[in-house]
């Protein structure tokens, strides 16, 4: 894995994550067009990578298959790294993911990331429909080892899958008597707990911590990752990323209004009402109880929101606290236009080199 230089004048690498948030009143087709436009904008403005998340059965999030969107974005962008942030591996068969990302890295050599998570990305009933058995989470480390075995075609002698091969991949190159492909997807471990920190350290993989999901102990997770890191063929030193909700706008009041729509979506999800991104006016008119108001205010403030300088101040404070090599903006809000404005303002603030 190549270690990128900091972005522009920022003391860290800057990237973008799009959850394909689909607000009430917007169609999926409109949002997918906006996701493509946002990836093109991030590419043009000099961000390092652009990731898509996996979610299921949510009215407010539309990418049930990040790899399909990545395939489209390969032809729509030129320089930026593209990836799944992430693939929820217990929802999938490792061989299929190895094959799919083998195709993606062949289409865009040196530009593909594969982030792996173990959360279902949905509610319990949908998770049961996806996973079929309740022990899927417990098998996450074994699934990663299996996936890496298929991607490297290096199962040990006697392994039950020793003669099963992912195509495209090293085995196909060997059979077709051509030099082995030199590039492969960078495989990341994703999480929001110390469990994922221990796993990423043991496997010697880059680690991405999803701070947008709540008040998890990111500082302890980062410490554990660094202290327990074992060098691997991919990385000789730890490399960490923290993703965080971010909404920048010329009008800080509007940035807060948009941040509140994501907070409302989280409250609805916790109340089992479905993750929906309501219009800001509907959020403002909602007759919240005192505990609900506390929840909404807390989750609104978990998103860095305000002017470009205010968001940058929050990013720099987060970087100072965590020591993360890379910070990823999780764009949010009901308005897709504000996603693009966030990317523009942050890029301008840090003088990112346009391409």
């Amino acid at each position: 894995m190549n270690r990128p230089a900091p972005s522009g004048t920022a003391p860290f690498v800057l990237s973008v994550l799009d959850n394909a948030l689909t607000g009430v009143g917007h169609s999926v087709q409109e949002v997918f067009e906006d996701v493509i436009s946002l990836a093109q904008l991030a590419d043009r403005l000099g961000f390092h990578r652009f990731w898509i998340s996996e979610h299921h059965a949510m009215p407010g999030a539309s990418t049930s298959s990040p790899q399909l969107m990545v395939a489209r974005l390969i032809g729509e962008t030129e320089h930026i790294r593209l990836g799944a942030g992430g693939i929820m591996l217990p929802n999938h068969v490792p061989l299929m993911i190895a094959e799919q990302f083998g195709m993606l890295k062949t289409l865009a050599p040196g530009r593909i990331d594969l982030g792996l998570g173990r959360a279902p990305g949905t509610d319990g009933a949908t998770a049961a429909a996806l996973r079929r058995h309740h022990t899927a989470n417990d098998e996450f480390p074994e699934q990663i080892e299996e996936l890496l075995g298929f991607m490297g075609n290096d199962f040990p002698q006697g392994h039950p899958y020793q003669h099963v091969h992912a195509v495209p991949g090293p085995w196909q190159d060997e059979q077709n008597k051509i030099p082995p492909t030199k590039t492969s997807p960078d495989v990341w471990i994703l999480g929001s707990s110390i469990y994922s920190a221990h796993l990423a350290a043991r496997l010697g993989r880059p680690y991405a911590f999803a701070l947008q999901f709540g008040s998890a102990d990111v500082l302890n997770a980062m410490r554990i990752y660094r202290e327990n890191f074992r060098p691997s063929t991919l990385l000789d030193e730890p490399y960490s990323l923290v993703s965080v909700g971010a909404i920048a706008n010329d009008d800080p009041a509007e940035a807060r209004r948009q941040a509140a729509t994501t907070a409302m979506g989280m409250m609805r999800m916790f109340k089992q009402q479905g993750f929906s991104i309501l219009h800001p006016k509907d959020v403002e008119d909602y007759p919240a109880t005192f505990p609900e108001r506390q929840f909404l205010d807390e989750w609104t403030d978990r998103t860095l929101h305000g002017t470009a300088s205010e968001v940058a101040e929050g990013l720099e404070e987060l970087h100072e606290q965590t020591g993360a090599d890379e910070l990823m903006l999780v764009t949010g809000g009901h308005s897709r236009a504000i996603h693009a404005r966030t990317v523009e303002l942050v890029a301008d603030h840090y003088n990112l080199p346009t391409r």
Side-chain angles (χ1 to χ4, degrees):
M1 173 182 172
N2 294 323
R3 304 177 74 91
S7 301
T9 59
F12 40 76
V13 181
L14 274 165
S15 295
V16 178
L17 170 67
D18 196 332
N19 290 312
L21 293 186
T22 306
V24 172
H26 296 291
S27 72
V28 175
Q29 183 175 359
E30 292 171 340
V31 168
F32 282 176
E33 290 172 354
D34 287 336
V35 171
I36 294 168
S37 295
L38 189 66
Q40 292 171 328
L41 179 65
D43 186 24
R44 200 162 56 245
L45 294 180
F47 285 84
H48 184 63
R49 68 184 91 240
F50 187 90
W51 281 2
I52 302 291
S53 58
E54 176 185 342
H55 291 99
H56 301 274
M58 292 185 181
S62 298
T63 48
S64 54
S65 179
Q67 54 270 55
L68 287 180
M69 183 59 77
V70 169
R72 173 63 185 271
L73 294 178
I74 285 172
E76 301 284 355
T77 58
E78 297 183 31
H79 308 283
I80 197 166
R81 293 190 68 92
L82 302 168
I87 293 292
M88 301 298 105
L89 192 56
N91 294 346
H92 305 274
V93 177
L95 174 58
M96 292 287 287
I97 298 301
E99 291 175 334
Q100 291 167 1
F101 277 81
M103 293 180 67
L104 292 173
K105 65 98 175 180
T106 304
L107 290 167
R111 291 181 59 203
I112 301 299
D113 296 326
L114 171 53
L116 301 174
R118 65 170 180 152
T122 189
D123 59 88
T126 306
L130 285 165
R131 300 183 170 190
R132 300 298 180 186
H133 60 95
H134 67 278
T135 61
N137 267 20
D138 299 334
E139 299 165 0
F140 183 51
E142 290 74 22
Q143 290 175 318
I144 293 176
E145 295 286 3
E146 186 177 310
L147 172 64
L148 295 176
F150 283 125
M151 292 178 71
N153 193 49
D154 55 1
F155 286 113
Q157 191 75 21
H159 191 281
Y161 297 146
Q162 179 186 353
H163 301 296
V164 180
H165 310 285
V167 175
W171 176 81
Q172 185 186 35
D173 292 342
E174 179 184 327
Q175 293 298 304
N176 289 337
K177 303 185 186 310
I178 64 170
T181 304
K182 294 182 179 180
T183 60
S184 61
D186 285 350
V187 178
W188 291 65
I189 304 302
L190 277 56
S192 56
S193 69
I194 61 173
Y195 171 89
S196 54
H198 279 291
L199 183 59
R202 179 169 64 82
L203 296 176
R205 294 283 162 173
Y207 178 46
F209 190 96
L211 191 60
Q212 70 270 22
F213 291 136
S215 56
D217 190 359
V218 62
L219 302 184
N220 201 30
M222 287 293 164
R223 178 187 60 79
I224 288 171
Y225 172 62
R226 295 189 184 104
E227 290 180 355
N228 295 276
F229 182 82
R230 300 178 186 175
S232 68
T233 55
L234 181 68
L235 273 182
D236 55 1
E237 294 179 341
Y239 187 89
S240 60
L241 177 156
V242 174
S243 58
V244 61
I247 299 178
N249 195 258
D250 305 278
D251 179 1
E254 180 59 20
R256 184 172 184 83
R257 289 178 78 232
Q258 293 292 332
T261 67
T262 307
M264 174 63 83
M266 295 302 296
M267 188 174 80
R268 287 178 55 84
M269 184 177 70
F270 286 134
K271 294 175 69 174
Q272 298 184 330
Q273 295 174 341
F275 180 79
S276 295
I277 304 298
L278 306 184
H279 190 278
K281 183 68 165 58
D282 294 329
V283 176
E284 290 170 348
D285 291 345
Y286 178 76
T289 64
F290 181 72
E292 287 176 334
R293 176 49 54 196
Q294 285 184 311
F295 180 98
L296 291 170
D297 288 344
E298 179 185 350
W299 277 85
T300 297
D301 288 335
R302 285 178 180 172
T303 295
L304 302 178
H305 61 272
T307 63
S309 59
E310 289 171 332
V311 169
E313 183 180 352
L315 291 171
E316 289 163 22
E317 183 179 348
L318 179 61
H319 174 254
E320 184 176 347
Q321 291 173 344
T322 64
D325 301 284
E326 187 166 344
L327 297 182
M328 179 169 275
L329 311 178
V330 183
T331 60
H334 179 273
S335 165
R336 289 296 308 186
I338 210 160
H339 292 237
R341 191 61 181 145
T342 297
V343 168
E344 289 173 339
L345 288 172
V346 172
D348 183 64
H349 180 86
Y350 286 115
N351 296 311
L352 267 61
T354 57
R355 300 182 176 114

